[in-house]
Amino acid sequence: MTLHGPCLALSLTLAAASLAAATSAQAAAPSPLQMVGPVAEYKLYVAGNVRTLVADTRVFVAAIKAGDVEKAKALYPSTRTSYEKIEPVAELFSDMDSAIDSRADDHEKAEKDPAFGGFHRIEYALWTQKTTKDIEPVADKLLADVLTLQKRLTALTFPPEKVVGGAAVLMEEVAATKISGEENRYSHTDLWDFQANFEGSYRIVELLRPLLVKQDKAFVEKTDANFKAVFDTLAKYRTADGGFQTYAKLSERDRRMLSGKVNTLAEDLSRVRGMLGLN
């Protein structure tokens, strides 16, 4: 079909407007220099959490080596919190993540595999075997691995695309696998991990907010509302001492509702890299 007169003029006007909008959006993408501040602030956030992780792990390991099962069980979920907050960058070191946070499923002989260590091997001993016997070396290695992670993160130049993309990937992981309760399958302390995962991802969004608002203010408001919905949902399962109920108490309906909210959040965060020109 050939356009004539007013139709042709309208078509050209719309095409020009579309091109101008695309050019404007491209020009509005933050420069690498504008990303320096938020990434530097995030590195400080990570450093603070790693210091807490080291300190908490020392106390946790001391309880294990003292043979105090109940104290170690009480410390387990809170000790993990700092690691879960920084998971988007901790996972950049796959060997460290495997050593610190692998599940039994990741090993050929599951719980009986000598290579199965870290938090979840200790979790298995505390809740299933109900003992600290024979896991003192596992605890010592956990502390050594946490200290190694601290050194590596201190020396790491944080790639902006990994920081930003990691928040979305973490939400996808929560919705796809963690929501089933597979991670803390012996202790059922999953809600502690979820809270920490969401806090860590939200911190990334907070630091990027000035840049994101320039791109799409409505998107930022929507994302904030979706984070609030997740935090409000988790708050329902808080206990009087500031912890969380056992995840085993959540019904399948509760888990599906939580999964739906997390999936919405993951969809939001999957857009952030593109909005900031980091794809």
Side-chain angles (χ1 to χ4, degrees), residues 32-70:
L33 188 60
Q34 289 175 294
M35 292 296 300
V36 169
V39 172
E41 285 293 322
Y42 182 65
K43 186 166 185 176
L44 290 174
Y45 173 78
V46 169
N49 275 285
V50 174
R51 283 195 299 273
T52 302
L53 176 63
V54 169
D56 289 349
T57 303
R58 288 189 193 280
V59 178
F60 180 53
V61 169
I64 292 165
K65 297 181 82 168
D68 194 335
V69 173
E70 291 309 311

Side-chain angles (χ1 to χ4, degrees), residues 26-207:
Q26 186 176 8
S31 67
L33 188 60
Q34 289 175 294
M35 292 296 300
V36 169
V39 172
E41 285 293 322
Y42 182 65
K43 186 166 185 176
L44 290 174
Y45 173 78
V46 169
N49 275 285
V50 174
R51 283 195 299 273
T52 302
L53 176 63
V54 169
D56 289 349
T57 303
R58 288 189 193 280
V59 178
F60 180 53
V61 169
I64 292 165
K65 297 181 82 168
D68 194 335
V69 173
E70 291 309 311
K71 183 176 181 181
K73 286 170 74 171
L75 291 171
Y76 172 80
S78 58
T79 301
R80 287 178 52 75
T81 294
S82 299
Y83 185 82
E84 294 295 320
K85 286 181 181 178
I86 62 169
E87 205 166 351
V89 290
E91 289 185 340
L92 293 176
F93 301 107
S94 59
D95 60 331
M96 287 288 92
D97 186 55
S98 177
I100 293 169
D101 204 36
S102 67
R103 279 71 132 179
D105 303 350
D106 299 324
H107 303 275
E108 185 178 354
K109 297 179 181 177
E111 286 88 354
K112 296 183 185 203
D113 200 310
F116 178 39
F119 276 117
H120 297 301
R121 173 63 183 90
I122 295 171
E123 178 199 6
Y124 173 68
L126 295 175
W127 271 270
T128 302
Q129 298 177 310
K130 304 184 188 307
T131 182
T132 60
K133 185 181 178 182
D134 300 329
I135 60 164
E136 290 87 349
V138 178
D140 284 336
K141 186 173 185 303
L142 172 64
L143 179 55
D145 288 334
V146 165
L147 288 167
T148 298
L149 178 66
Q150 183 181 39
K151 288 179 184 177
R152 290 197 191 177
L153 286 171
T154 300
L156 178 68
T157 299
F158 285 27
E161 68 278 7
K162 295 292 184 182
V163 171
V164 175
V169 170
L170 183 55
M171 292 300 95
E172 290 166 5
E173 183 186 355
V174 172
T177 62
K178 291 189 178 190
I179 208 77
S180 70
E182 58 87 26
E183 180 158 12
N184 294 291
R185 65 191 67 176
Y186 318 111
S187 63
H188 306 298
T189 55
D190 303 86
L191 292 173
W192 290 77
D193 282 16
F194 295 169
Q195 178 75 24
N197 288 157
F198 300 141
E199 286 181 13
S201 292
Y202 189 57
R203 185 58 183 149
I204 293 171
V205 173
E206 282 184 312
L207 293 171

Side-chain angles (χ1 to χ4, degrees), residues 217-231:
K217 184 179 179 182
F219 167 81
V220 175
E221 291 172 349
K222 176 176 176 287
T223 302
D224 281 344
N226 288 334
F227 264 111
K228 184 177 185 303
V230 169
F231 285 129

